[in-house]
């Protein structure tokens, strides 16, 4: 089932999506193909999943290449646009091989930036709210420089993404490359991996199975949850924005919830018998996350449209069909 309405596009483009078999990547490939473009998906299937894209494989405008962007790129033909969505994004996943995570960010970005330079393509980097670390201000505007630990379990991801922003800035300054940086806040929706370890997938899978819902810490930490279709529209709007848009742009839903509120919402929405179970808060877990999206509103005329209850109502059936039996976190 697609979460998108088709949209009309004037020009057929050749688009490379690195990380195209991931949760965001699969939806992006689907939407771009729906708009008539030629799409090449690169993925190493570390966290990407064939089931996210297998419905696209029969489309003659879709090409899948299994490749890890840590290594130099294979021959992939020409492209007008490059989206870099390639990196595990869930803390338990990116912490499994932190050095590989760091390399994915740095080497991967360099390989894609060099390719975009050769092709004179516009390139968009998926950065993250993690560049703000454990923020001392809320909401977080792009001008906030962050509060990030360089030596902790999240550093491989956070500092990797920060360094990639620097690379994008320098390729733009030194080589005149047309770059875009999206700072993506927590995103959820159908086709998230049930075993991803993220809070929405964990809570829905647990509540569906009637198991304890695992709240880390006391649940007073906050996150702001953006539905997948809103995020994909935001990424595409940023890619399509006039060429001056090299500055980072926050993309996320500014409505903030405590993790306790999320747990209670999921349990209530499912009418589940699950109880809350409080477990230790992971090291360096940020206490708050709420994007200031003024820049995205001004530059892209973009704002999220889907409220949490509505997005959960779309997401729950996916997990019910794909994951009720696969319990993630006991
Ligand atoms: N979290 C939780 N229970 C879980 C998984 C996550 O309470 O089963 C918390 C986690 O500690 C964090 C928040 O939910 O405070 C969001 O976690 P997630 O891994 O989804 O995203 P991130 O921390 O990268 O924002």
């Amino acid at each position: 089932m697609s979460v998108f309405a088709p949209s009309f596009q004037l020009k057929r483009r050749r688009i490379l999506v690195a990380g195209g078999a991931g949760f965001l990547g699969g939806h992006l490939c689907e939407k771009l193909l729906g708009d008539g473009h030629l799409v090449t998906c690169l993925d190493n299937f570390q966290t990407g999943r064939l089931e996210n894209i297998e419905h696209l494989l029969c489309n003659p405008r879709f090409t899948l290449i299994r490749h890890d962007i840590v290594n130099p790129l294979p021959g992939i033909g020409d492209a007008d646009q490059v989206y870099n969505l390639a990196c595990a994004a869930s803390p338990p996943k990116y912490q499994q091989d932190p050095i590989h995570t760091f390399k994915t960010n740095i080497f991967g970005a360099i390989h894609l930036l060099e390719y975009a330079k050769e092709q004179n393509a516009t390139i968009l980097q998926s950065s993250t709210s993690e560049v703000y670390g454990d923020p001392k201000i809320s909401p977080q505007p792009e001008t906030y420089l962050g509060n990030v630990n360089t030596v902790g379990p999240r550093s491989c991801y956070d500092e990797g993404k920060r360094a990639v922003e620097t690379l994008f800035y320098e390729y733009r300054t030194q080589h005149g490359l047309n770059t875009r940086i999206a700072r993506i806040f927590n995103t959820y929706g159908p086709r998230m991996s049930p075993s991803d370890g993220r809070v929405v997938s964990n809570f829905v899978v647990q509540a569906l199975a009637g198991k304890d819902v695992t709240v880390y810490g006391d649940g007073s930490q906050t996150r702001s949850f953006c539905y997948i279709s809103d995020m994909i529209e935001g990424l595409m709007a940023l890619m399509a924005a006039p060429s001056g848009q090299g500055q980072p742009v926050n993309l996320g839903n500014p409505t903030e919830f405590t993790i306790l509120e999320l747990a209670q919402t999921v349990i209530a929405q499912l009418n589940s018998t699950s109880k809350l179970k409080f477990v230790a808060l992971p090291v360096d877990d940020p206490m708050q996350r709420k994007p200031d999206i003024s820049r995205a509103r001004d530059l892209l005329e973009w704002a999220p449209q889907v409220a949490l209850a509505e997005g959960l109502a779309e997401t729950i059936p996916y997990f019910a069909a794909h994951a009720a039996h696969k319990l993630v976190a006991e």
Side-chain angles (χ1 to χ4, degrees), residues 116-144:
K117 182 155 79 82
E118 253 169 56
Q119 294 285 317
N120 198 22
T122 305
I123 180 166
L124 182 148
Q125 171 65 28
S126 60
S127 186
T128 169
S129 58
E130 288 283 319
V131 300
Y132 301 122
D134 190 10
K136 298 295 180 205
I137 62 167
S138 186
Q140 296 88 49
E142 292 86 349
T143 47
Y144 178 57

PDB file of all heavy atoms in Angstrom, residues 116-144:
ATOM      1  N   ALA A 116      28.783  13.151  -7.494  1.00  0.00           N
ATOM      2  CA  ALA A 116      27.894  14.284  -7.818  1.00  0.00           C
ATOM      3  C   ALA A 116      28.689  15.386  -8.519  1.00  0.00           C
ATOM      4  O   ALA A 116      28.175  16.037  -9.441  1.00  0.00           O
ATOM      5  CB  ALA A 116      27.243  14.825  -6.545  1.00  0.00           C
ATOM      6  N   LYS A 117      29.938  15.568  -8.107  1.00  0.00           N
ATOM      7  CA  LYS A 117      30.792  16.591  -8.746  1.00  0.00           C
ATOM      8  C   LYS A 117      31.023  16.228 -10.215  1.00  0.00           C
ATOM      9  O   LYS A 117      30.846  17.063 -11.097  1.00  0.00           O
ATOM     10  CB  LYS A 117      32.121  16.674  -7.971  1.00  0.00           C
ATOM     11  CG  LYS A 117      33.095  17.730  -8.497  1.00  0.00           C
ATOM     12  CD  LYS A 117      34.050  18.173  -7.400  1.00  0.00           C
ATOM     13  CE  LYS A 117      35.172  17.204  -7.153  1.00  0.00           C
ATOM     14  NZ  LYS A 117      36.303  17.313  -8.060  1.00  0.00           N
ATOM     15  N   GLU A 118      31.398  14.962 -10.439  1.00  0.00           N
ATOM     16  CA  GLU A 118      31.596  14.479 -11.819  1.00  0.00           C
ATOM     17  C   GLU A 118      30.351  14.690 -12.680  1.00  0.00           C
ATOM     18  O   GLU A 118      30.428  15.029 -13.849  1.00  0.00           O
ATOM     19  CB  GLU A 118      31.759  12.958 -11.765  1.00  0.00           C
ATOM     20  CG  GLU A 118      33.125  12.387 -11.987  1.00  0.00           C
ATOM     21  CD  GLU A 118      33.025  10.905 -11.593  1.00  0.00           C
ATOM     22  OE1 GLU A 118      32.173  10.155 -12.134  1.00  0.00           O
ATOM     23  OE2 GLU A 118      33.808  10.561 -10.711  1.00  0.00           O
ATOM     24  N   GLN A 119      29.214  14.420 -12.073  1.00  0.00           N
ATOM     25  CA  GLN A 119      27.936  14.441 -12.800  1.00  0.00           C
ATOM     26  C   GLN A 119      27.298  15.822 -12.842  1.00  0.00           C
ATOM     27  O   GLN A 119      26.253  16.005 -13.451  1.00  0.00           O
ATOM     28  CB  GLN A 119      26.951  13.476 -12.109  1.00  0.00           C
ATOM     29  CG  GLN A 119      27.341  12.015 -12.184  1.00  0.00           C
ATOM     30  CD  GLN A 119      27.095  11.456 -13.570  1.00  0.00           C
ATOM     31  OE1 GLN A 119      26.068  11.730 -14.189  1.00  0.00           O
ATOM     32  NE2 GLN A 119      28.052  10.699 -14.080  1.00  0.00           N
ATOM     33  N   ASN A 120      27.853  16.747 -12.065  1.00  0.00           N
ATOM     34  CA  ASN A 120      27.222  18.058 -11.893  1.00  0.00           C
ATOM     35  C   ASN A 120      25.772  17.890 -11.396  1.00  0.00           C
ATOM     36  O   ASN A 120      24.845  18.561 -11.847  1.00  0.00           O
ATOM     37  CB  ASN A 120      27.259  18.844 -13.203  1.00  0.00           C
ATOM     38  CG  ASN A 120      27.018  20.311 -12.957  1.00  0.00           C
ATOM     39  OD1 ASN A 120      27.229  20.788 -11.835  1.00  0.00           O
ATOM     40  ND2 ASN A 120      26.562  21.024 -13.972  1.00  0.00           N
ATOM     41  N   ALA A 121      25.616  16.946 -10.471  1.00  0.00           N
ATOM     42  CA  ALA A 121      24.290  16.628  -9.926  1.00  0.00           C
ATOM     43  C   ALA A 121      24.058  17.394  -8.616  1.00  0.00           C
ATOM     44  O   ALA A 121      25.006  17.740  -7.917  1.00  0.00           O
ATOM     45  CB  ALA A 121      24.197  15.125  -9.649  1.00  0.00           C
ATOM     46  N   THR A 122      22.809  17.613  -8.300  1.00  0.00           N
ATOM     47  CA  THR A 122      22.442  18.150  -6.982  1.00  0.00           C
ATOM     48  C   THR A 122      22.466  16.988  -5.986  1.00  0.00           C
ATOM     49  O   THR A 122      21.953  15.905  -6.299  1.00  0.00           O
ATOM     50  CB  THR A 122      21.029  18.766  -7.030  1.00  0.00           C
ATOM     51  OG1 THR A 122      21.004  19.735  -8.069  1.00  0.00           O
ATOM     52  CG2 THR A 122      20.663  19.417  -5.709  1.00  0.00           C
ATOM     53  N   ILE A 123      23.055  17.206  -4.830  1.00  0.00           N
ATOM     54  CA  ILE A 123      23.172  16.112  -3.864  1.00  0.00           C
ATOM     55  C   ILE A 123      22.599  16.529  -2.515  1.00  0.00           C
ATOM     56  O   ILE A 123      22.876  17.628  -2.028  1.00  0.00           O
ATOM     57  CB  ILE A 123      24.637  15.614  -3.745  1.00  0.00           C
ATOM     58  CG1 ILE A 123      24.749  14.474  -2.730  1.00  0.00           C
ATOM     59  CG2 ILE A 123      25.616  16.744  -3.407  1.00  0.00           C
ATOM     60  CD1 ILE A 123      26.066  13.715  -2.790  1.00  0.00           C
ATOM     61  N   LEU A 124      21.773  15.643  -1.957  1.00  0.00           N
ATOM     62  CA  LEU A 124      21.124  15.903  -0.666  1.00  0.00           C
ATOM     63  C   LEU A 124      21.624  14.911   0.370  1.00  0.00           C
ATOM     64  O   LEU A 124      21.633  13.702   0.125  1.00  0.00           O
ATOM     65  CB  LEU A 124      19.603  15.788  -0.805  1.00  0.00           C
ATOM     66  CG  LEU A 124      18.771  16.071   0.439  1.00  0.00           C
ATOM     67  CD1 LEU A 124      17.415  16.692   0.051  1.00  0.00           C
ATOM     68  CD2 LEU A 124      18.530  14.832   1.310  1.00  0.00           C
ATOM     69  N   GLN A 125      22.037  15.411   1.511  1.00  0.00           N
ATOM     70  CA  GLN A 125      22.501  14.567   2.613  1.00  0.00           C
ATOM     71  C   GLN A 125      21.414  14.458   3.678  1.00  0.00           C
ATOM     72  O   GLN A 125      20.867  15.466   4.113  1.00  0.00           O
ATOM     73  CB  GLN A 125      23.764  15.175   3.236  1.00  0.00           C
ATOM     74  CG  GLN A 125      24.221  14.513   4.527  1.00  0.00           C
ATOM     75  CD  GLN A 125      24.676  13.065   4.324  1.00  0.00           C
ATOM     76  OE1 GLN A 125      25.146  12.701   3.237  1.00  0.00           O
ATOM     77  NE2 GLN A 125      24.534  12.250   5.344  1.00  0.00           N
ATOM     78  N   SER A 126      21.145  13.215   4.100  1.00  0.00           N
ATOM     79  CA  SER A 126      20.283  13.053   5.266  1.00  0.00           C
ATOM     80  C   SER A 126      21.138  13.232   6.498  1.00  0.00           C
ATOM     81  O   SER A 126      21.884  12.343   6.890  1.00  0.00           O
ATOM     82  CB  SER A 126      19.638  11.670   5.274  1.00  0.00           C
ATOM     83  OG  SER A 126      20.636  10.672   5.316  1.00  0.00           O
ATOM     84  N   SER A 127      21.057  14.430   7.075  1.00  0.00           N
ATOM     85  CA  SER A 127      21.671  14.633   8.385  1.00  0.00           C
ATOM     86  C   SER A 127      20.595  14.342   9.428  1.00  0.00           C
ATOM     87  O   SER A 127      19.602  13.674   9.117  1.00  0.00           O
ATOM     88  CB  SER A 127      22.255  16.039   8.490  1.00  0.00           C
ATOM     89  OG  SER A 127      22.952  16.167   9.710  1.00  0.00           O
ATOM     90  N   THR A 128      20.765  14.825  10.618  1.00  0.00           N
ATOM     91  CA  THR A 128      19.942  14.322  11.704  1.00  0.00           C
ATOM     92  C   THR A 128      19.815  15.328  12.839  1.00  0.00           C
ATOM     93  O   THR A 128      20.720  16.147  13.054  1.00  0.00           O
ATOM     94  CB  THR A 128      20.586  13.027  12.254  1.00  0.00           C
ATOM     95  OG1 THR A 128      19.950  12.652  13.469  1.00  0.00           O
ATOM     96  CG2 THR A 128      22.068  13.202  12.559  1.00  0.00           C
ATOM     97  N   SER A 129      18.727  15.199  13.581  1.00  0.00           N
ATOM     98  CA  SER A 129      18.575  15.973  14.822  1.00  0.00           C
ATOM     99  C   SER A 129      19.677  15.632  15.825  1.00  0.00           C
ATOM    100  O   SER A 129      19.923  16.391  16.756  1.00  0.00           O
ATOM    101  CB  SER A 129      17.210  15.675  15.443  1.00  0.00           C
ATOM    102  OG  SER A 129      17.073  14.291  15.692  1.00  0.00           O
ATOM    103  N   GLU A 130      20.338  14.483  15.618  1.00  0.00           N
ATOM    104  CA  GLU A 130      21.427  14.080  16.517  1.00  0.00           C
ATOM    105  C   GLU A 130      22.590  15.074  16.487  1.00  0.00           C
ATOM    106  O   GLU A 130      23.436  15.047  17.365  1.00  0.00           O
ATOM    107  CB  GLU A 130      21.948  12.690  16.143  1.00  0.00           C
ATOM    108  CG  GLU A 130      21.005  11.564  16.486  1.00  0.00           C
ATOM    109  CD  GLU A 130      20.997  11.218  17.975  1.00  0.00           C
ATOM    110  OE1 GLU A 130      22.069  11.204  18.590  1.00  0.00           O
ATOM    111  OE2 GLU A 130      19.900  10.990  18.494  1.00  0.00           O
ATOM    112  N   VAL A 131      22.663  15.934  15.456  1.00  0.00           N
ATOM    113  CA  VAL A 131      23.745  16.944  15.467  1.00  0.00           C
ATOM    114  C   VAL A 131      23.553  17.922  16.624  1.00  0.00           C
ATOM    115  O   VAL A 131      24.489  18.627  16.988  1.00  0.00           O
ATOM    116  CB  VAL A 131      23.877  17.723  14.130  1.00  0.00           C
ATOM    117  CG1 VAL A 131      24.179  16.781  12.975  1.00  0.00           C
ATOM    118  CG2 VAL A 131      22.661  18.583  13.858  1.00  0.00           C
ATOM    119  N   TYR A 132      22.348  17.958  17.205  1.00  0.00           N
ATOM    120  CA  TYR A 132      22.119  18.832  18.359  1.00  0.00           C
ATOM    121  C   TYR A 132      22.477  18.128  19.671  1.00  0.00           C
ATOM    122  O   TYR A 132      22.454  18.755  20.732  1.00  0.00           O
ATOM    123  CB  TYR A 132      20.658  19.311  18.395  1.00  0.00           C
ATOM    124  CG  TYR A 132      20.243  20.065  17.146  1.00  0.00           C
ATOM    125  CD1 TYR A 132      19.178  19.644  16.372  1.00  0.00           C
ATOM    126  CD2 TYR A 132      20.957  21.190  16.729  1.00  0.00           C
ATOM    127  CE1 TYR A 132      18.813  20.322  15.211  1.00  0.00           C
ATOM    128  CE2 TYR A 132      20.604  21.875  15.570  1.00  0.00           C
ATOM    129  CZ  TYR A 132      19.530  21.433  14.810  1.00  0.00           C
ATOM    130  OH  TYR A 132      19.185  22.101  13.662  1.00  0.00           O
ATOM    131  N   GLY A 133      22.785  16.828  19.607  1.00  0.00           N
ATOM    132  CA  GLY A 133      23.164  16.078  20.811  1.00  0.00           C
ATOM    133  C   GLY A 133      22.048  16.119  21.846  1.00  0.00           C
ATOM    134  O   GLY A 133      20.876  15.880  21.519  1.00  0.00           O
ATOM    135  N   ASP A 134      22.397  16.415  23.095  1.00  0.00           N
ATOM    136  CA  ASP A 134      21.410  16.578  24.174  1.00  0.00           C
ATOM    137  C   ASP A 134      21.187  18.086  24.294  1.00  0.00           C
ATOM    138  O   ASP A 134      21.894  18.763  25.049  1.00  0.00           O
ATOM    139  CB  ASP A 134      21.969  15.985  25.473  1.00  0.00           C
ATOM    140  CG  ASP A 134      20.899  15.902  26.542  1.00  0.00           C
ATOM    141  OD1 ASP A 134      19.707  16.111  26.247  1.00  0.00           O
ATOM    142  OD2 ASP A 134      21.259  15.626  27.707  1.00  0.00           O
ATOM    143  N   PRO A 135      20.214  18.638  23.539  1.00  0.00           N
ATOM    144  CA  PRO A 135      20.170  20.089  23.379  1.00  0.00           C
ATOM    145  C   PRO A 135      19.813  20.828  24.663  1.00  0.00           C
ATOM    146  O   PRO A 135      19.007  20.347  25.465  1.00  0.00           O
ATOM    147  CB  PRO A 135      19.086  20.284  22.315  1.00  0.00           C
ATOM    148  CG  PRO A 135      18.282  19.045  22.329  1.00  0.00           C
ATOM    149  CD  PRO A 135      19.153  17.943  22.813  1.00  0.00           C
ATOM    150  N   LYS A 136      20.403  21.983  24.800  1.00  0.00           N
ATOM    151  CA  LYS A 136      20.136  22.820  25.980  1.00  0.00           C
ATOM    152  C   LYS A 136      19.045  23.838  25.708  1.00  0.00           C
ATOM    153  O   LYS A 136      18.697  24.610  26.606  1.00  0.00           O
ATOM    154  CB  LYS A 136      21.427  23.557  26.404  1.00  0.00           C
ATOM    155  CG  LYS A 136      22.562  22.632  26.806  1.00  0.00           C
ATOM    156  CD  LYS A 136      22.201  21.851  28.060  1.00  0.00           C
ATOM    157  CE  LYS A 136      23.321  20.926  28.476  1.00  0.00           C
ATOM    158  NZ  LYS A 136      22.834  19.768  29.259  1.00  0.00           N
ATOM    159  N   ILE A 137      18.558  23.897  24.466  1.00  0.00           N
ATOM    160  CA  ILE A 137      17.455  24.804  24.167  1.00  0.00           C
ATOM    161  C   ILE A 137      16.366  24.032  23.410  1.00  0.00           C
ATOM    162  O   ILE A 137      16.645  23.030  22.756  1.00  0.00           O
ATOM    163  CB  ILE A 137      17.893  26.026  23.330  1.00  0.00           C
ATOM    164  CG1 ILE A 137      18.445  25.597  21.964  1.00  0.00           C
ATOM    165  CG2 ILE A 137      18.933  26.870  24.058  1.00  0.00           C
ATOM    166  CD1 ILE A 137      18.577  26.758  21.005  1.00  0.00           C
ATOM    167  N   SER A 138      15.153  24.526  23.529  1.00  0.00           N
ATOM    168  CA  SER A 138      14.044  23.880  22.837  1.00  0.00           C
ATOM    169  C   SER A 138      13.022  24.938  22.424  1.00  0.00           C
ATOM    170  O   SER A 138      12.724  25.838  23.210  1.00  0.00           O
ATOM    171  CB  SER A 138      13.391  22.857  23.759  1.00  0.00           C
ATOM    172  OG  SER A 138      12.419  22.132  23.051  1.00  0.00           O
ATOM    173  N   PRO A 139      12.492  24.873  21.217  1.00  0.00           N
ATOM    174  CA  PRO A 139      12.854  23.948  20.147  1.00  0.00           C
ATOM    175  C   PRO A 139      14.250  24.253  19.626  1.00  0.00           C
ATOM    176  O   PRO A 139      14.845  25.267  19.968  1.00  0.00           O
ATOM    177  CB  PRO A 139      11.793  24.211  19.077  1.00  0.00           C
ATOM    178  CG  PRO A 139      11.368  25.625  19.310  1.00  0.00           C
ATOM    179  CD  PRO A 139      11.484  25.867  20.780  1.00  0.00           C
ATOM    180  N   GLN A 140      14.768  23.344  18.766  1.00  0.00           N
ATOM    181  CA  GLN A 140      16.115  23.526  18.225  1.00  0.00           C
ATOM    182  C   GLN A 140      16.039  24.146  16.821  1.00  0.00           C
ATOM    183  O   GLN A 140      15.544  23.530  15.892  1.00  0.00           O
ATOM    184  CB  GLN A 140      16.837  22.174  18.126  1.00  0.00           C
ATOM    185  CG  GLN A 140      17.093  21.497  19.470  1.00  0.00           C
ATOM    186  CD  GLN A 140      15.947  20.626  19.914  1.00  0.00           C
ATOM    187  OE1 GLN A 140      15.457  19.804  19.150  1.00  0.00           O
ATOM    188  NE2 GLN A 140      15.493  20.795  21.159  1.00  0.00           N
ATOM    189  N   PRO A 141      16.557  25.392  16.665  1.00  0.00           N
ATOM    190  CA  PRO A 141      16.697  25.963  15.315  1.00  0.00           C
ATOM    191  C   PRO A 141      18.015  25.498  14.709  1.00  0.00           C
ATOM    192  O   PRO A 141      18.895  25.013  15.429  1.00  0.00           O
ATOM    193  CB  PRO A 141      16.739  27.475  15.585  1.00  0.00           C
ATOM    194  CG  PRO A 141      17.359  27.577  16.946  1.00  0.00           C
ATOM    195  CD  PRO A 141      17.026  26.318  17.712  1.00  0.00           C
ATOM    196  N   GLU A 142      18.162  25.664  13.418  1.00  0.00           N
ATOM    197  CA  GLU A 142      19.402  25.231  12.736  1.00  0.00           C
ATOM    198  C   GLU A 142      20.616  26.007  13.237  1.00  0.00           C
ATOM    199  O   GLU A 142      21.751  25.547  13.106  1.00  0.00           O
ATOM    200  CB  GLU A 142      19.278  25.404  11.220  1.00  0.00           C
ATOM    201  CG  GLU A 142      18.275  24.475  10.555  1.00  0.00           C
ATOM    202  CD  GLU A 142      16.855  25.024  10.574  1.00  0.00           C
ATOM    203  OE1 GLU A 142      16.584  26.027  11.283  1.00  0.00           O
ATOM    204  OE2 GLU A 142      15.995  24.446   9.871  1.00  0.00           O
ATOM    205  N   THR A 143      20.390  27.197  13.777  1.00  0.00           N
ATOM    206  CA  THR A 143      21.511  28.022  14.261  1.00  0.00           C
ATOM    207  C   THR A 143      22.067  27.514  15.595  1.00  0.00           C
ATOM    208  O   THR A 143      23.146  27.939  16.005  1.00  0.00           O
ATOM    209  CB  THR A 143      21.046  29.478  14.459  1.00  0.00           C
ATOM    210  OG1 THR A 143      19.813  29.437  15.172  1.00  0.00           O
ATOM    211  CG2 THR A 143      20.861  30.174  13.124  1.00  0.00           C
ATOM    212  N   TYR A 144      21.347  26.613  16.255  1.00  0.00           N
ATOM    213  CA  TYR A 144      21.868  26.044  17.517  1.00  0.00           C
ATOM    214  C   TYR A 144      23.019  25.091  17.190  1.00  0.00           C
ATOM    215  O   TYR A 144      22.872  24.208  16.344  1.00  0.00           O
ATOM    216  CB  TYR A 144      20.741  25.318  18.259  1.00  0.00           C
ATOM    217  CG  TYR A 144      21.215  24.662  19.543  1.00  0.00           C
ATOM    218  CD1 TYR A 144      21.841  25.416  20.536  1.00  0.00           C
ATOM    219  CD2 TYR A 144      21.043  23.293  19.755  1.00  0.00           C
ATOM    220  CE1 TYR A 144      22.290  24.818  21.699  1.00  0.00           C
ATOM    221  CE2 TYR A 144      21.486  22.696  20.917  1.00  0.00           C
ATOM    222  CZ  TYR A 144      22.103  23.462  21.889  1.00  0.00           C
ATOM    223  OH  TYR A 144      22.558  22.869  23.046  1.00  0.00           O
TER     224      TYR A 144
END
